[in-house]
Amino acid sequence: MGRFVARRLLGMLAVLFAISIIVFLIFNVIPNSDPAARIAGKNANPELIARVTADLGLDKPLPEQYVTMMRQIFTGELTSYASSQNVVEQIWKGLPATLSLCIGAAVIWMALALVFGYLSAVHAGKFTDRALTILSLVGISVPVFWLAAILLYYLSFKAQLFPTSSYVPLGRDPVDWAYHLILPWLTLAVLYVGFYSRVLRSNMLDVMNEDYVRTARAKGISERQVRMRHVLRNSMIPVVTLFGLDFGAVVGGGAILTETVFNLNGVGLYAGQAIGSLDLPPLMGVTIFGAFFIVLFNTLVDLAYAFLDPRIRLGEAAPS
């Protein structure tokens, strides 16, 4: 297991290195124009452009430019020339709100998806399955910004049951923290609940026909234990894969619309504001930030695979 973990961590570092090179090429090389003028902002004067060139070493060979950019990103020196704000500080400042939003939404969508998917599989073809199928399709089809606007209008402005916006730090007041995030959590979770429940239902129906499930029933194990220990556990592997990909993507930028509509001062809102003002340094930092979380959670998915199915880690160790 130790060798398996080491290989996955080395693979994670290699992927992050490749992504950093791609990000550098996209922002500095591929547009085929003066990168200093783009990074300095829309209304930059010649003095500011010259300063950007000197700060980032844009008059030097490409390898030196890459090293300078990565050093500024990873040492926290990258600065937005349009707003004069430190990019890494702004990302760290918004990280608690983004993680609070994404983790809370993930707990909701996974919990509801497990319940809905399990019930749909157990009652396949019956009224419960059909009702949950309709709800799932509605959830998948509803645009995030529309659902957020509807929840805000009816539950915040009309009924005044929830606050309209802002983020309350967890350490200040846990109850108020959750109270301000209920609507954003539901908005972000609805899409994934429907999709995950359908995937789990399909997997469970396939696993129910496997030989080892029939063998477990033949041994006299109760139907409930067969479903929980054999069917549900083995059906979770594709769901874990999806969760790792989706959660990393949500933390890395998938929550931009939700944060913007609910005015949560997270990384997504920061990225959205940078896009609106064509401010490149924040976009560089947020892109690397998002890539890190996506790669991290993909690595965690591989480790979860090894836990759910020991054959995976055994197969990894077999060549040696």
Side-chain angles (χ1 to χ4, degrees), residues 218-238:
K219 289 181 178 179
I221 301 176
S222 67
E223 186 64 24
R224 182 176 179 276
Q225 289 180 323
V226 170
R227 291 172 182 167
M228 297 300 295
R229 293 182 182 179
H230 298 280
V231 177
L232 183 60
R233 178 171 178 173
N234 287 281
S235 301
M236 284 297 295
I237 292 181

Side-chain angles (χ1 to χ4, degrees), residues 31-276:
N32 196 26
S33 60
D34 184 7
R38 297 196 309 273
I39 294 173
K42 293 183 290 186
N43 301 316
N45 54 44
E47 290 78 11
L48 180 57
I49 293 175
R51 177 188 160 196
V52 173
T53 301
D55 289 347
L56 298 179
L58 298 178
D59 54 347
K60 298 178 180 178
L62 287 179
E64 293 187 36
Q65 293 183 33
Y66 167 80
V67 172
T68 301
M69 176 185 288
M70 292 302 117
R71 186 183 69 247
Q72 290 207 0
I73 291 176
F74 289 104
T75 59
E77 299 176 359
L78 186 65
T79 301
S80 167
Y81 293 93
S83 62
S84 300
Q85 293 179 332
N86 184 282
V87 172
V88 177
E89 288 181 0
Q90 293 301 311
I91 291 176
W92 278 107
K93 182 179 178 181
L95 190 57
T98 296
L99 290 180
S100 296
L101 170 63
C102 297
I103 292 174
V107 170
I108 292 174
W109 93 54
M110 284 298 293
L112 293 179
L114 287 175
V115 173
F116 291 171
Y118 180 86
L119 291 176
S120 292
V122 171
H123 302 284
K126 299 179 181 178
F127 174 78
T128 301
D129 179 31
R130 293 172 182 173
L132 291 175
T133 298
I134 294 174
L135 288 176
S136 299
L137 293 176
V138 171
I140 294 171
S141 304
V142 171
V144 171
F145 63 88
W146 182 85
L147 178 61
I150 292 297
L151 292 178
L152 274 175
Y153 180 75
Y154 285 104
L155 298 182
S156 294
F157 292 108
K158 284 283 189 179
Q160 297 185 351
L161 296 175
F162 299 97
T164 57
S165 62
S166 75
Y167 169 76
V168 176
L170 177 61
R172 183 190 302 173
D173 187 341
V175 175
D176 207 25
W177 167 81
Y179 181 55
H180 278 73
L181 286 171
I182 289 176
L183 293 185
W185 283 342
L186 293 176
T187 300
L188 191 57
V190 164
L191 168 65
Y192 297 99
V193 170
F195 184 68
Y196 277 54
S197 64
R198 302 317 295 167
V199 171
L200 181 60
R201 174 190 181 274
S202 176
N203 292 335
M204 287 186 65
L205 291 178
D206 289 339
V207 172
M208 284 179 183
N209 296 320
E210 295 290 339
D211 291 339
Y212 63 85
V213 175
R214 290 195 291 266
T215 301
R217 290 194 181 102
K219 289 181 178 179
I221 301 176
S222 67
E223 186 64 24
R224 182 176 179 276
Q225 289 180 323
V226 170
R227 291 172 182 167
M228 297 300 295
R229 293 182 182 179
H230 298 280
V231 177
L232 183 60
R233 178 171 178 173
N234 287 281
S235 301
M236 284 297 295
I237 292 181
V239 175
V240 169
T241 304
L242 290 173
F243 180 77
L245 294 171
D246 289 336
F247 186 76
V250 167
V251 175
I256 289 179
L257 282 177
T258 305
E259 289 186 15
T260 301
V261 174
F262 288 99
N263 195 30
L264 299 176
N265 293 320
V267 180
L269 180 59
Y270 181 55
Q273 293 171 344
I275 293 171

Side-chain angles (χ1 to χ4, degrees), residues 9-30:
L9 292 178
L10 288 174
M12 173 182 168
L13 294 176
V15 172
L16 284 174
F17 175 67
I19 290 174
S20 69
I21 292 176
I22 293 173
V23 170
F24 168 75
L25 293 175
I26 289 174
F27 284 104
N28 283 38
V29 179
I30 292 178

